[in-house]
Amino acid sequence: MRTWIDLDDAPVFAIPAAGGPRYGVLVEGPQGWGEFSPSPGASDELAARWLTAAMEPSTVGWPDALRGRVPVDAARPTVAVGRDIDAAVTLIREAAPDVAHLIDCTAEQAAAIRRRVDLPVAVDADVLAADPQCADVVVLRCGRLGGVRRAMRRAERLGLPALVVFSGTSSIGVAADVALAAALPDLPYACGPVPQWLRDGDVVSSARSLGTSDGYLPAAPMPAGPDATRLGQFLVTDAAVVAQWRDLLRRAAALL
């Protein structure tokens, strides 16, 4: 499929955000567009998964949706465990969420917190790979797991309820997370949150932007394409930055 994607001229964009600009690359295939936006410092292997996710809607398309829209929780807290399990437990008890979503944790830490809180514990699929018994809920991120189909297969193998976290940078990327949530057989938890920066900047038209939510987001068979004017506002023109992202894109493609 990578031969169908134009990697050399893929536009690199950056959307301003509170913690610094959020970068991504838009890849176009015969069926439309996808978003490649791994986090800074991502390995080539992780970038390859992101590229697979970006190519999925623009080539083979997403699986059929089982629901026309997905619920969004804009306020669910995430708990960064780090080294302090006691502090993480305290935060969870004070927040009283419907599910304890842990980040920056190991399987051993997740298991320890699970024994001390009286609600489901959710961790990323990669953490569960080390110990499938360390949590009650698997967190799915479409880009990181290599697309909708791969994320669904991972959840099926684990046999746990799923929580979909939005990991896209623009509405093109968020649409993939929404497609994943829409295609899951069961969706016991609301998804999200919608990235705050999308309220002020996006690469698709305002009518197609997923930057606002009334508690739900619509599922679509493919993401919206970029709007030329809005993409132009966020297009990266720094030659060094563009070269860095396109080089990562090419290295990722070489692993597919």
Side-chain angles (χ1 to χ4, degrees):
M1 292 191 297
R2 66 178 183 177
T3 59
W4 300 344
I5 304 294
D6 182 2
L7 303 181
D8 295 329
D9 296 318
V12 180
F13 67 92
I15 297 178
R22 307 289 298 204
Y23 289 92
V25 185
L26 298 182
V27 294
E28 185 179 15
Q31 302 299 323
W33 293 84
E35 179 189 290
F36 173 80
S37 54
S39 57
S43 66
D44 289 359
E45 290 75 16
L46 178 56
R49 280 191 254 164
W50 268 95
L51 182 54
T52 301
M55 293 193 305
E56 186 178 35
S58 63
T59 53
V60 298
W62 290 319
D64 292 338
L66 299 181
R67 50 192 67 84
R69 62 179 189 165
V70 301
V72 176
D73 186 345
R76 177 184 290 118
T78 58
V79 178
V81 177
R83 298 181 180 179
D84 196 337
I85 292 179
D86 290 337
V89 170
T90 299
L91 287 172
I92 292 167
R93 289 173 175 169
E94 291 177 349
D98 58 343
V99 58
H101 175 198
L102 308 183
I103 59 175
D104 298 333
C105 72
T106 66
E108 181 180 4
Q109 290 172 321
I113 292 172
R114 186 186 184 204
R115 291 192 292 267
R116 296 175 58 182
V117 298
D118 189 23
L119 75 166
V121 169
V123 299
D124 274 17
D126 289 343
V127 177
L128 280 163
D131 177 7
Q133 306 301 318
C134 74
D136 309 282
V137 179
V138 55
V139 174
L140 303 177
R141 304 172 192 266
C142 187
R144 185 176 185 86
L145 291 174
V148 174
R149 287 174 175 78
R150 291 190 179 188
M152 291 178 67
R153 287 198 296 269
R154 181 75 71 91
E156 183 179 3
R157 288 196 299 269
L158 289 168
L160 294 175
L163 168 63
V164 178
V165 171
F166 297 159
S167 56
T169 294
S170 73
S171 285
I172 294 175
V174 172
D177 295 308
V178 174
L180 169 58
L184 287 170
D186 298 298
L187 191 66
Y189 300 103
C191 311
V194 174
Q196 291 185 348
W197 57 82
L198 283 186
R199 297 168 187 168
D200 301 315
D202 205 345
V203 300
V204 304
S205 69
S206 57
R208 298 295 303 274
S209 177
L210 301 177
T212 58
S213 168
D214 61 355
Y216 290 88
L217 283 178
M222 65 178 61
D227 176 82
T229 300
R230 300 192 84 184
L231 175 59
Q233 294 175 358
F234 303 108
L235 202 63
V236 175
T237 57
D238 185 310
V241 175
V242 172
Q244 177 184 358
W245 275 94
R246 288 185 180 162
D247 182 59
L248 179 61
L249 194 63
R250 284 189 286 268
R251 297 201 310 269
L255 295 179
L256 300 184

